[in-house]
Amino acid sequence: MKIFKFGGASVKDAESVKNVSMVLQSQGFAKCLLVISAMGKTTNELEKVVELYFKKDNYQTEIEKIKRKHIEIAEGLFPENHAVFAEINVFFDDIDSFLRRNKSPNYSFVYDQVVSCGEMISTKILSEYLNEIQFTNQWLDARDYIKTDSSYREGTVDWAKTEEFISTLNQEICYVTQGFIGSDDNNFTVTLGREGSDYSAAIFAYCLNADAMTIWKDVPGVMTGDPRKFSDVSLLSNISYEEAIEMAYYGASVIHPKTLQPLQQKNIPFYVKSFVDPTKEGTKVGASDKNQHEESYILKENQVLLKISTRDFSFIAEDHMSLIFGYLSKYKIKVSLMQNSAISLALCLEDKFDQVDELNEELQKIFKTKAVKNVSLFTVRNAKMDHIDQFYQEKNVLLEQISKNTVQMVTQ
């Protein structure tokens, strides 16, 4: 079976949805499972609904705007009496009724129940459209197949249950399902982390022993740098799983960090290709003697540099490290880079849930700390050390780390 993942940009309007069918026509639509994100910027818009709800502001107007946008997309795809319009209305009525009856003060729980609706609606529209043009498929609710714990907004997959459920699918037909979402033991929706649709596709690929997985993007493939941020970048046509994992960890936005491990475990080839020109070969990630090790540039923005030291100039010892990392886990803050000396520890942090101030307050009870917000982590993979000086030009470097072939610096 083949797994295809289409992100929000590839289904942002009626013409984009039609283009998905053209991509499928060029690739072949047999034995295929499509994993689809919310349309365009719908996830951001639904996040705003949740914010307004907790502020006790007028969230209904925002829901109506998002609904209108989806109806307009459907109007460009279906005749006016098509059943899909009633289904769209039901999805948005469900959001409103959930928020009206909800008693939970848990922001992350409410977030997952509301924001997940973007994927539910986009997949229903795409599935119905493909059936309309004779690309026969079955719509799946991913929450019936991907099972997780109750860590809302960052669900941990229960692989045993998930594999058991996904293995029941008929691999002779085609499916359309959602990225980004699963469900816990109480069948509440749990999201897999922002941009988690790639990970969803990898979960299905792993559990179905897929022949290959392809992510369709608005870029030609994995580049040596984001062309919006760096000049003179080129396509990487072949890279190893290990290189792709490193690039994703350091912040390469074209690949979700969790995506690679399940694919690597079963040696499933992973392609990143362009939905603008599906005939181009794109990037292949996997085991190959053609794998490249080109100098690549990654910029991870909106980071926090946290410097921690003991109050009495004693060493930062193992018990200190254990305590600090326990707090990082508690507040769901990820470490992008760390550097320690005898009496201090510097951490470059990714604060996805805006909890670094709470973390800092906890740490200040024991340590001296200094937080610098809105910094960037600049990474050069496979760096050519003979021209290393050029990486420092016009940068205010707060922290640097150099290994055999990787240069990293935290800049302001």
Side-chain angles (χ1 to χ4, degrees), residues 333-360:
I333 295 173
K334 297 190 183 302
V335 178
S336 302
L337 180 72
M338 66 177 275
Q339 190 175 95
N340 68 296
S341 67
I343 59 170
S344 68
L345 175 67
L347 301 171
C348 181
L349 304 173
E350 183 176 4
D351 180 27
K352 290 196 289 188
F353 301 122
D354 297 321
Q355 299 194 96
V356 77
D357 290 335
E358 288 91 334
L359 168 71
N360 203 14

Side-chain angles (χ1 to χ4, degrees), residues 132-265:
E132 190 85 357
I133 61 169
Q134 308 306 310
F135 278 19
T136 304
N137 72 91
Q138 184 176 322
W139 182 84
L140 291 183
D141 188 334
R143 297 171 299 186
D144 294 335
Y145 296 89
I146 295 179
K147 306 305 288 184
T148 72
D149 64 3
S150 297
S151 301
Y152 299 109
R153 294 178 75 184
E154 197 80 34
T156 298
V157 174
D158 182 328
W159 282 96
K161 286 183 182 176
T162 298
E163 195 162 10
E164 178 189 343
F165 291 133
I166 291 177
S167 65
T168 63
L169 293 175
N170 179 358
Q171 298 201 30
E172 298 300 314
I173 64 175
C174 296
Y175 298 97
V176 173
T177 194
Q178 306 79 37
F180 182 52
I181 63 174
S183 68
D184 62 15
D185 286 341
N186 294 313
N187 291 321
F188 288 121
T189 306
V190 181
T191 62
L192 304 178
R194 204 66 162 82
E195 310 297 336
S197 292
D198 291 4
Y199 185 37
S200 298
I203 293 167
F204 277 103
Y206 176 91
C207 295
L208 291 168
N209 296 304
D211 287 340
M213 171 178 145
T214 305
I215 291 179
W216 296 94
K217 296 268 189 181
D218 56 357
V219 292
V222 179
M223 312 290 285
T224 54
D226 186 336
R228 294 165 296 186
K229 297 173 183 174
F230 301 99
S231 57
D232 301 321
V233 296
S234 57
L235 177 71
L236 292 164
S237 57
N238 290 268
I239 56 175
S240 66
Y241 292 115
E242 291 79 8
E243 184 69 14
I245 288 169
E246 293 283 356
M247 291 177 73
Y249 178 78
Y250 292 135
S253 59
V254 77
I255 306 169
H256 187 274
K258 292 181 182 175
T259 303
L260 282 304
Q261 286 101 330
L263 300 176
Q264 183 185 28
Q265 284 181 43

